[in-house]
Amino acid sequence: MASHILAIDQGTTSSRAIVFRSDISIAAQAQQEFQQHFPASGWVEHEPEDIWTSTLATCREAMSRANVTASAIAAIGITNQRETTVVWDRATGHAVHRAIVWQDRRTAEICARLKADGHEPLISARTGLIVDPYFSGTKVAWILDHVPGARERAERGELMFGTVDSYLLWRLTGGKVHATDATNASRTLLFNIHTGEWDDDLLKLLRVPRSMLPDVRDSSASFGTTVPELLGGSIAIRGIAGDQQAATIGQACFTPGMMKSTYGTGCFALLNTGTTAVASKNKLLTTIAYQLNGQRTYALEGSIFVAGSAVQWLRDGLGLIKNASETGPLADENDTMQSVYLVPAFVGLGAPYWNPRVRGALFGLTRNTGPAELAHAVLESVCYQTYDLWAAMRADWPEAKETNTVLRVDGGMTASDWTMQRLADLLNAPVDRPMIQETTALGAAYLAGLGAGVYPEPARFADSWRLERRFKPNMSDATRTRKLKGWSQAVKGVLASDSEAD
């Protein structure tokens, strides 16, 4: 009986494939970076063919390293960079334009026009999202308006739209299946998260023909089978989820009140709110965490633009460290008589502020401020920003205060014990780091394995989650209050600079 699961983790800068065993241990993995394209200021593109070839190559390499053939793979799970938009020809499979990446800001004018015309309340009520170039809907509209003949072809039913999961699924099945899951659909600005269907009013507003859209299925469902010649045999595709939702699943956050935070270049935090789609009053996003057996589970999501990239700034921009691992020990040398704050708004501030215009600033500098104080400020900035998300989520959903939330963390920055301890101190809550750090790929593998009967129901899968270390708060209330007050004043200073510019 086939007992392995192949997880495809298609990210922003690289494609990865991991072969998991039936006990969720990793048999082998492979990774391949691909080219980024920046054709204009604020524009970010990928060549869809690069996404496809790198994905296929890593799948083959991971299977080879694990010494398994297609007959040993029970199912494939796909997780992907969210919001990145591909439009391709239904007959030939050729993309009509490069993929427009989630980071791309070219549709800012479209978004500004939608807001000025008063459409944001309707869009937010239906989708749980804010009107921002981040999401897929305005990207599709841009392609249809800027590629010669694309709109006419789309209206004739000749073009297809998909996020990266849909595009890979279409290629893997030889063009037989055009589908996505509810988590990816919920990031498009076109999907009603309450009815679980594409929304005709939003499609009309953004001028996107319904014929372009993929079928929306559960996160664990039958998504067809691979063309035999791709991987040496037909393999069922049984799971799909956007990367942050997949990490939520990989962290086994199946109970309302559970929260995960992923620390990479930026940071994404999701709080499970169960069957209740909580409308945020604090500029958080309401999104679908996962959909199983037709039942949608919702989450509040907060995005921090700068987390690990602030450490990269210390290394590459200032030359204060050679390796990220040096940051914690350097921060330990901080002069405790100084209170230096970094607001790392290098590309604006994310949730709960959503201000793309402001820029970063350092506060509290003295003549004695040096590398240790800057490292201390950088690591604390990530913790303070997480606190802001934490506080906004608890304000939006009071039940969170009653659940004694534990934060489960993953991503590169969680290797820093110093940062995780300070995070626990400022949240005044436990921070749990898991044994398996590949939580995004594990989430995709779980969804596929659940559908294939290799992995158990969510409650039993949650029992298999293993703690590597729990960080418990040990900061005094007085110190915590003082530090958080200083951070709040620093953020207000940065936000005030924007209003002064206006």
Side-chain angles (χ1 to χ4, degrees):
M1 178 180 175
S3 59
H4 291 75
I5 300 294
L6 175 61
I8 293 171
D9 184 355
Q10 204 298 302
T12 308
T13 59
S14 68
S15 299
R16 295 196 308 150
I18 301 180
V19 177
F20 287 88
R21 301 184 183 94
S22 58
D23 62 357
I24 72 170
S25 64
I26 293 174
Q29 57 185 303
Q31 182 169 353
Q32 187 177 117
E33 293 187 357
F34 56 88
Q35 188 175 357
Q36 310 290 300
H37 299 273
F38 308 99
S41 177
W43 292 27
V44 189
E45 296 178 351
H46 292 157
E47 193 61 61
E49 199 65 25
D50 290 345
I51 292 174
W52 165 243
T53 56
S54 61
T55 296
L56 185 58
T58 54
C59 286
R60 289 170 172 169
E61 186 178 348
M63 290 172 64
S64 176
R65 289 180 177 180
N67 196 27
V68 296
T69 61
S71 61
I73 305 291
I76 292 174
I78 301 172
T79 184
N80 57 289
Q81 50 167 319
R82 302 177 303 175
E83 296 94 17
T84 295
T85 299
V86 188
V87 175
W88 68 96
D89 185 288
R90 187 181 298 274
T92 67
H94 295 150
V96 301
H97 190 275
R98 282 183 183 150
I100 301 181
V101 180
W102 59 273
Q103 300 154 311
D104 190 285
R105 308 299 294 176
R106 78 184 65 188
T107 64
E109 287 186 11
I110 299 175
C111 293
R113 192 161 61 246
L114 288 168
K115 290 180 180 180
D117 292 343
H119 295 304
E120 187 165 42
L122 170 69
I123 294 172
S124 294
R126 302 275 178 92
T127 69
L129 308 175
I130 62 171
V131 175
D132 190 87
Y134 181 23
F135 306 107
S136 309
T138 58
K139 301 181 195 299
V140 185
W142 189 95
I143 290 173
L144 295 183
D145 285 337
H146 288 80
V147 174
R151 181 163 294 285
E152 292 77 13
R153 293 179 65 199
E155 289 171 353
R156 290 198 300 266
E158 296 173 11
L159 300 184
M160 309 171 87
F161 150 70
T163 41
V164 169
D165 58 300
S166 291
Y167 177 70
L168 291 178
L169 178 65
W170 195 85
R171 296 292 296 261
L172 286 166
T173 61
K176 289 186 174 67
V177 182
H178 184 212
T180 188
D181 90 301
T183 70
N184 280 295
S186 75
R187 312 295 296 190
T188 61
L189 282 182
L190 304 171
F191 188 73
N192 188 318
I193 63 171
H194 309 288
T195 64
E197 297 176 343
W198 298 115
D199 191 287
D200 287 327
D201 293 332
L202 300 180
L203 293 173
K204 183 178 180 181
L205 192 60
L206 288 169
R207 299 167 61 231
V208 175
R210 179 179 270 273
S211 63
M212 296 183 72
L213 303 177
D215 179 41
V216 181
R217 301 178 185 176
D218 284 355
S219 304
S220 179
S222 176
F223 290 97
T225 58
T226 63
V227 177
E229 55 267 28
L230 294 176
L231 299 171
S234 293
I235 305 174
I237 303 166
R238 300 300 299 262
I240 292 179
D243 54 8
Q244 299 309 319
Q245 285 93 338
T248 303
I249 293 162
Q251 288 279 33
C253 291
F254 295 120
T255 305
M258 295 185 74
M259 180 178 173
K260 77 90 195 177
S261 193
T262 299
Y263 295 92
T265 301
C267 164
F268 295 87
L270 270 76
L271 172 72
N272 184 326
T273 61
T275 56
T276 303
V278 177
S280 177
K281 297 184 179 70
N282 294 286
K283 298 184 179 179
L284 300 176
L285 306 177
T286 307
T287 197
I288 295 175
Y290 50 87
Q291 181 172 306
L292 300 175
N293 299 318
Q295 177 69 62
R296 288 180 293 282
T297 295
Y298 297 95
L300 282 170
E301 177 178 328
S303 307
I304 296 168
F305 296 153
V306 175
S309 54
V311 176
Q312 291 172 338
W313 172 67
L314 279 183
R315 183 192 66 196
D316 304 333
L318 301 183
L320 297 183
I321 57 172
K322 291 184 179 179
N323 296 296
S325 60
E326 299 171 25
T327 318
L330 183 59
D332 260 337
E333 300 172 15
N334 170 67
D335 176 4
T336 57
M337 298 303 291
Q338 297 188 54
S339 295
V340 179
Y341 290 90
L342 168 69
V343 182
F346 302 153
V347 289
L349 284 173
Y353 307 103
W354 285 107
N355 188 322
R357 298 179 301 276
V358 297
R359 290 298 176 258
L362 279 162
F363 294 87
L365 297 178
T366 72
R367 178 64 183 81
N368 292 325
T369 299
E373 288 70 39
L374 291 179
H376 189 271
V378 162
L379 295 184
E380 280 202 327
S381 74
V382 177
C383 303
Y384 287 130
Q385 291 178 101
T386 305
Y387 174 84
D388 286 344
L389 297 182
W390 173 272
M393 287 174 173
R394 291 163 79 86
D396 278 337
W397 196 55
E399 288 91 331
K401 296 178 182 177
E402 302 167 9
T403 57
N404 297 316
T405 301
V406 174
L407 179 63
R408 290 185 170 179
V409 295
D410 55 80
M413 282 197 80
T414 63
S416 169
D417 290 354
W418 193 98
T419 309
M420 295 302 99
Q421 182 58 54
R422 185 51 50 94
L423 183 58
D425 288 340
L426 291 173
L427 296 181
N428 196 25
V431 171
D432 283 359
R433 186 169 64 194
M435 291 289 289
I436 295 181
Q437 281 287 302
E438 302 290 355
T439 54
T440 303
L442 177 58
Y446 173 68
L447 291 170
L450 176 64
V454 173
Y455 297 142
E457 292 300 309
R460 285 184 54 213
F461 176 71
D463 290 339
S464 69
W465 185 91
R466 292 290 176 264
L467 177 70
E468 186 266 331
R469 179 172 173 183
R470 168 168 284 188
F471 297 86
K472 298 179 180 179
N474 59 17
M475 181 180 282
S476 71
D477 291 342
T479 300
R480 182 184 306 108
T481 299
R482 174 178 59 80
K483 282 181 163 291
L484 291 171
K485 182 178 179 182
W487 167 253
S488 177
Q489 290 172 338
V491 171
K492 286 177 182 175
V494 166
L495 294 173
S497 69
D498 178 49
S499 61
E500 288 167 6
D502 290 341

